[in-house]
Amino acid sequence: MKDIKIRIRSVQSTMQITKAMELVASSKLRKAKESVERARPYFITLHNTLSDIAYSENDFSSPFIKEREAKKACYILIAGDRGLAGGYNSNVFKLFTAHSEKLEIPYCVVPVGKKAVEFCERRGIEIVTKDYICVEDVSVGDCYELAHMLADDFVRERFDQIHVVYTQFVSMMTQSPMVMQVLPIPYDKAAAQPSKTVTLYEPSAQAVFNAIVPEYISGMFYGALSESWASELGARRNAMDSASKNAGEMIEDLSLRYNRARQAAITQEITEIVAGAEH
């Protein structure tokens, strides 16, 4: 009976922690969802602007859309700052591993989040920078700085592809890991159609396009970051909710066992008293 009572107290303490973590994740999730909703229109506008410029001329060319032999790739790997979020981190790492093995070329990684940094260090993966170890603290300015650095390195041919591995926030219950190609920007010359409206770009369409690309990368990075942060909170909320329910069921089972043991002890005492009275 004493062991069961100690076990019940232990599970109750754990249940209090999981409930508190669920409430914290729920409160942060509302703000994260608003951030996702704000980021999407910005990304869509930038994407449409780049498409308008690229498809306005049939002979358009830019180092950011030019396909070249892939000798090395760069990944922006966005994971969580901590665990206790179900399969959130492991699913991202599985997708990253599968995609990088499929490319069959050397690669480097910009890890975002403590778990991503630890994963790269354990695997001995080349890390570009460790400046983004906390997802929650990465700002729009950080995204802009990283975007310019990666765009410059891409033009200098330090690597030939840039991919973002993140988790898309579908709903409170569903989060899907994704790989998104950032550079070279997908462009189909055969699909290029002259625009019905004439837009003049100064000094040139290529110059404007190349100036917007870092902004585009920054928008994609910030959008992926917002999606991942909301997904991590959603996954943690679901995991803590399940843990609280499991703890409640365990407490019920332990309470039943405790009552049975207590009833058995009382019955044994009554039997001993009756037996002693007869003698």
Side-chain angles (χ1 to χ4, degrees), residues 21-94:
M21 292 186 69
E22 180 188 348
L23 291 172
V24 170
S26 297
S27 63
K28 288 184 177 181
L29 183 58
R30 190 180 300 106
K31 185 178 179 181
K33 284 172 66 179
E34 292 175 358
S35 178
V36 170
E37 291 168 358
R38 287 197 306 268
R40 282 174 180 166
Y42 177 74
F43 164 72
I44 292 170
T45 303
L46 278 177
H47 184 270
N48 292 338
T49 303
L50 287 174
S51 298
D52 290 342
I53 297 173
Y55 286 99
S56 63
E57 301 178 18
N58 288 328
D59 59 344
F60 183 83
S61 64
S62 168
F64 295 112
I65 62 175
K66 184 179 179 181
E67 291 286 347
R68 62 193 189 216
E69 183 184 356
K71 298 176 182 177
K72 189 174 183 179
C74 178
Y75 286 91
I76 301 174
L77 178 60
I78 305 175
D81 295 328
R82 56 186 70 86
L84 298 175
Y88 170 76
N89 291 311
S90 61
N91 290 338
V92 171
F93 296 148
K94 284 178 184 176

Side-chain angles (χ1 to χ4, degrees), residues 15 39 79 91 95 104 108 111 144 163 187 189 192 202-203 240 242 245 260 263:
M15 189 176 179
N91 290 338
L95 180 62
E104 296 180 346
C108 56
Y144 185 78
H163 302 274
Y187 172 67
K189 284 188 177 181
E202 292 292 342
M240 293 301 98
S242 298
K245 289 178 180 177
R260 284 176 180 170
Q263 188 64 44

Side-chain angles (χ1 to χ4, degrees), residues 47-259:
H47 184 270
N48 292 338
T49 303
L50 287 174
S51 298
D52 290 342
I53 297 173
Y55 286 99
S56 63
E57 301 178 18
N58 288 328
D59 59 344
F60 183 83
S61 64
S62 168
F64 295 112
I65 62 175
K66 184 179 179 181
E67 291 286 347
R68 62 193 189 216
E69 183 184 356
K71 298 176 182 177
K72 189 174 183 179
C74 178
Y75 286 91
I76 301 174
L77 178 60
I78 305 175
D81 295 328
R82 56 186 70 86
L84 298 175
Y88 170 76
N89 291 311
S90 61
N91 290 338
V92 171
F93 296 148
K94 284 178 184 176
L95 180 62
F96 163 74
T97 302
H99 192 274
S100 59
E101 289 177 351
K102 188 178 179 181
L103 281 182
E104 296 180 346
I105 58 174
Y107 58 87
C108 56
V109 175
V110 178
V112 182
K114 186 178 179 182
K115 292 295 180 182
V117 174
E118 291 174 353
F119 174 82
C120 293
E121 288 177 342
R122 283 198 308 270
R123 297 291 187 93
I125 299 171
E126 180 187 347
I127 297 175
V128 178
T129 176
K130 294 182 183 178
D131 292 343
Y132 311 101
I133 200 167
C134 183
V135 174
E136 194 173 0
D137 293 340
V138 179
S139 64
V140 177
D142 294 328
C143 296
Y144 185 78
E145 183 181 341
L146 177 63
H148 272 266
M149 182 187 74
L150 294 179
D152 290 342
D153 288 343
F154 181 81
V155 172
R156 295 187 186 117
E157 298 189 7
R158 277 194 61 191
F159 33 76
D160 308 293
Q161 293 181 358
I162 299 178
H163 302 274
V164 177
V165 186
Y166 70 106
T167 305
Q168 184 181 28
F169 181 80
V170 180
S171 67
M172 294 283 286
M173 302 299 296
T174 308
Q175 300 86 33
S176 302
M178 305 277 290
V179 177
M180 179 170 56
Q181 179 174 317
V182 179
L183 292 177
I185 298 171
Y187 172 67
D188 184 7
K189 284 188 177 181
Q193 297 292 334
S195 176
K196 294 181 181 179
T197 59
V198 177
T199 306
L200 296 177
Y201 298 98
E202 292 292 342
S204 66
Q206 286 86 350
V208 174
F209 184 90
N210 294 340
I212 293 177
V213 165
E215 300 279 353
Y216 173 71
I217 299 171
S218 175
M220 292 183 75
F221 179 31
Y222 183 73
L225 195 71
S226 300
E227 297 266 1
S228 294
W229 176 235
S231 297
E232 181 185 356
L233 293 173
R236 180 167 294 113
R237 179 191 173 281
N238 294 335
M240 293 301 98
D241 181 51
S242 298
S244 298
K245 289 178 180 177
N246 292 338
E249 292 174 1
M250 191 179 293
I251 289 171
E252 287 181 7
D253 181 60
L254 289 170
S255 297
L256 186 63
R257 288 169 55 188
Y258 176 80
N259 291 334

